[in-house]
Amino acid sequence: MRRGVTLVEVLVGMVVMLLALALAYGVSHQLFGTRSRFNLASMMGRSAIQKDAKVGLRRLIYRIRESIQILEPLPGRGGDTLVVRDITNKKLRIRRDAAAQRLVSEVSAGAGWTVETTSVDIAVEGASLPASFPVYMPNCNSVNFTVLAPDCVVVQLSVSADDQIGAFMTTIKLRNSRLAF
């Protein structure tokens, strides 16, 4: 019976250990490295962007779809502000608040605009039901509204979180428009 370990067995053991360490380092570098697009921080940043954008886009699409008519910009033109007439026949402006880096909806109040904070309710068979909710999208870097027709608009926007930027684009047709072309 032999006692002890040969030099070859020690070297083979060291090579196996080094391969395991190199593999562990590579995996950890991919998950936690700052330059990898597959790292956990990057994935969480994209997740935050998608979460903010999903909720904000849903409200934006619903708010525009439930409007009656697009007032500004004129068809064939674009801009960073959209003015529509909502289902209660009030003027509504959707714009990017540059100071707060967010997309907001505002209602016409006399000579100015007031940021919406509550839902718009309508009376249906004696009950008050919410018709739409205020638009609010944090971390909005830019927005552009291109009006294709008085009842159709293309929305392009970018949202950022934790050094990650997500770009989104959608076309929205007004559901309650009674315009004839």
Side-chain angles (χ1 to χ4, degrees), residues 111-129:
W113 296 91
T114 304
V115 174
E116 275 188 310
T117 55
T118 59
S119 64
V120 174
D121 296 334
I122 58 172
V124 177
E125 297 179 1
S128 181
L129 299 173

Side-chain angles (χ1 to χ4, degrees), residues 98-110:
Q101 291 281 322
R102 64 183 181 171
L103 191 68
V104 295
S105 57
E106 302 169 326
V107 291
S108 179

Side-chain angles (χ1 to χ4, degrees), residues 33 38 47 50 59 62 75 110 115 120 123 140 154 159-160 162 178:
F38 299 110
S47 176
Q50 290 171 349
R59 283 192 172 191
Y62 187 77
V115 174
V120 174
C140 183
V154 174
V159 180
S160 68
D162 300 329
R178 301 284 188 258

Side-chain angles (χ1 to χ4, degrees), residues 77-176:
R77 305 228 170 139
D80 60 355
T81 302
L82 180 70
V83 179
V84 297
R85 189 162 304 281
D86 74 0
I87 198 162
T88 61
N89 209 24
K90 294 181 183 171
K91 279 179 136 181
L92 171 78
R93 177 170 75 175
I94 301 171
R95 70 175 184 87
R96 179 177 169 266
D97 182 0
Q101 291 281 322
R102 64 183 181 171
L103 191 68
V104 295
S105 57
E106 302 169 326
V107 291
S108 179
W113 296 91
T114 304
V115 174
E116 275 188 310
T117 55
T118 59
S119 64
V120 174
D121 296 334
I122 58 172
V124 177
E125 297 179 1
S128 181
L129 299 173
S132 61
F133 296 93
V135 174
Y136 176 78
M137 185 182 300
N139 304 320
C140 183
N141 292 338
S142 66
V143 65
N144 186 45
F145 300 99
T146 305
V147 178
L148 303 177
D151 66 342
C152 188
V153 64
V154 174
V155 180
Q156 298 169 307
L157 54 91
S158 67
V159 180
S160 68
D162 300 329
D163 298 328
Q164 299 286 327
I165 297 175
F168 301 92
M169 180 175 153
T170 187
T171 302
I172 305 168
K173 181 157 180 17
L174 277 58
R175 182 184 298 170
N176 295 314

Side-chain angles (χ1 to χ4, degrees), residues 29-61:
H29 185 67
Q30 281 290 331
L31 291 177
F32 301 109
T34 57
R35 294 182 183 241
S36 171
R37 70 183 191 125
F38 299 110
N39 70 29
L40 290 177
S42 174
M43 288 183 210
M44 299 212 22
R46 283 194 300 273
S47 176
I49 290 171
Q50 290 171 349
K51 180 182 168 197
D52 287 346
K54 184 178 179 181
V55 172
L57 273 173
R58 185 177 297 144
R59 283 192 172 191
L60 174 68
I61 290 168

